[in-house]
Amino acid sequence: MPRCPHCREKDSEVISLFGTQAMTLQYRCKRCGTVFEAIKYD
Ligand SMILES: [Zn+2]
């Protein structure tokens, strides 16, 4: 999983399979609740 850009936590969950750009997913950090987008990991 990608790191949270706010607190650097690695424990995030996918909340949407579709970000605003192709090949990005939306994640929510389980520690601080920040929603962010990151490139899809295979
Ligand atoms: Zn965080």
Side-chain angles (χ1 to χ4, degrees):
M1 286 295 188
R3 286 181 182 274
C4 171
H6 183 69
C7 69
R8 314 305 286 175
E9 173 62 55
K10 283 194 298 184
D11 190 11
S12 57
E13 60 182 344
V14 176
I15 60 169
S16 173
L17 294 177
F18 303 98
T20 57
Q21 298 176 34
M23 298 303 294
T24 62
L25 302 183
Q26 290 190 320
Y27 297 87
R28 181 192 292 118
C29 174
K30 289 184 178 178
R31 180 176 168 193
C32 71
T34 296
V35 175
F36 59 97
E37 291 190 6
I39 304 247
K40 184 178 182 179
Y41 281 62
D42 282 324

